[in-house]
Amino acid sequence: MVSGGIILLFVFIVNVLIPHFLKTSYSAEVFERVETPTKPIVAHLPTPTPLKALYMTACVASTPSWRTSLRKMIEATELNAVVIDIKDSTGTVSFESGVPDSQGGSGCVVPDFKEFIAELHASGIYVIGRISVFQDPSYTSLHPELAVKSKSSGGVWRDRKGLSFVDVGAKPYWDYIVEISKASYALGFDELNYDYVRYPTDGDMDDTDFTWSYASSTRPEMLESFFTFLKTKTDEIGAVTSADLFGMTTTVTSDMGIGQVLERALPHFDYIAPMVYPSHYPSGWNGFANPSEHPYEVIHIAMSEAQRREEIQRISLGLATTTPSKLRPWLQDFNLGTTYGADKIRAQIQATYDSGLDSWMVWSAANKYTEAALLPE
């Protein structure tokens, strides 16, 4: 018969001494590796070549029926990618990012964004997340000290639509954009697309005061400093990046007061997307009384010139002339200046091809697309 004392000693050894010995005999690193569940790896699709995308607002992405109809359109046609709002022009971030100050704004959120991205990936659809950068009324309401200021009032400057901008030189905001970018890539977005990477244009520009943009730097220099910073940070996480530029940056060499110069943007992004909507060109541009009526010519002129400038820069940098172009235009699928049917949309696509490019993206703010302009899969 075993005495009670021996039994108690045995229990003490098994339950106390042995676990203590094991725990102190191995490094904390080993136990952390064993006890902490492995964080799942987020899958990212490779960039398709050629890329053919349409734009989707966060509001549509949060509406199951509408987003499903657009997904089915992509599956049924030559399209293979979608651009969805991560941060819209109100400053609303469309998912729970965990980044401080990112939950404001009046836009839509997508509660099941991660699941929706996985659904798109399952259909082989490349997912690009659009981040509206310096136009951000939500952030300027929280941090007015970083906003473009009004000379006359000393308060936050607003454009004709009542929208406010963060000063491009406000470096604390650069960190915010980087944190949003990291959270977005971790969620599953395959590419990060930066829009509104510019100084404001629409309003009383004589009343603007850029207190964060250094007096010793020009607007193009200040904006390129942001591009350089952003590239360094996104390279660290391995994200594919693209930037939207005004369409006229392809044919105008000055910064037009907004800071954007094609050659200053090209080195810092994997892709550059000029917004060459024919309706956005002024009357008389290249002799066209109404450029909207000449979609083929506008796109062909704009993108041919963009490629010429890109090639000159490649040569100056000692890069191979066979290096694939970074250019892929935003094309127009909305009525402005004239009615845009399948013929005018297809004309823009053909002009893209005839200028030597193979990728493009189609924009409709209303998310109503002309399927007849797209080739069936």
Side-chain angles (χ1 to χ4, degrees), residues 124-337:
I125 299 171
Y126 184 76
V127 186
I128 304 171
R130 174 177 172 263
I131 299 174
S132 176
V133 182
F134 292 107
Q135 182 174 290
D136 193 331
S138 174
Y139 199 87
T140 58
S141 69
L142 296 172
H143 297 280
E145 73 280 5
L146 302 182
V148 176
K149 298 296 178 57
S150 164
K151 288 181 181 177
S152 58
S153 70
V156 175
W157 177 89
R158 301 184 190 281
D159 66 13
R160 289 192 180 93
K161 296 179 181 177
L163 300 173
S164 54
F165 280 69
V166 175
D167 190 333
V168 171
K171 291 187 177 181
Y173 182 72
W174 297 7
D175 293 321
Y176 175 71
I177 293 299
V178 166
E179 292 308 309
I180 294 294
S181 300
K182 289 179 177 179
S184 302
Y185 192 65
L187 192 72
F189 285 97
D190 302 308
E191 178 179 322
L192 305 177
N193 170 253
Y194 299 93
D195 200 358
Y196 285 92
V197 281
R198 61 175 175 82
Y199 286 81
T201 59
D202 184 25
D204 184 0
M205 301 311 299
D206 291 335
D207 190 42
T208 54
D209 188 12
F210 301 96
T211 57
W212 286 84
S213 292
Y214 307 131
S216 60
S217 296
T218 64
R219 292 185 184 185
E221 289 170 342
M222 193 73 257
L223 190 59
E224 188 172 10
S225 293
F226 169 71
F227 292 161
T228 302
F229 176 83
L230 187 62
K231 176 174 172 54
T232 298
K233 298 301 183 180
T234 53
D235 279 354
E236 291 175 0
I237 59 174
V240 177
T241 62
S242 57
D244 299 337
L245 301 183
F246 266 21
M248 290 187 69
T249 58
T250 71
T251 53
V252 176
T253 55
S254 73
D255 78 316
M256 298 175 285
I258 63 174
Q260 291 183 350
V261 176
L262 178 63
E263 287 81 359
R264 286 181 176 270
L266 278 166
H268 305 290
F269 298 92
D270 296 295
Y271 301 97
I272 296 293
M275 300 175 286
V276 286
Y277 311 128
S279 62
H280 285 36
Y281 285 79
S283 176
W285 183 82
N286 269 268
F288 301 122
N290 182 6
S292 291
E293 294 282 5
H294 302 275
Y296 178 90
E297 292 83 357
V298 171
I299 303 303
H300 192 268
I301 292 169
M303 297 315 299
S304 294
E305 177 63 9
Q307 284 185 91
R308 185 190 71 81
R309 291 169 63 177
E310 182 186 32
E311 184 175 356
I312 289 173
Q313 186 181 62
R314 280 204 299 261
I315 292 171
S316 70
L317 295 174
L319 301 177
T321 55
T322 55
T323 302
S325 175
K326 291 185 174 185
L327 299 166
R328 58 185 189 207
W330 275 108
L331 306 179
Q332 175 174 343
D333 189 357
F334 54 88
N335 298 327
L336 186 62

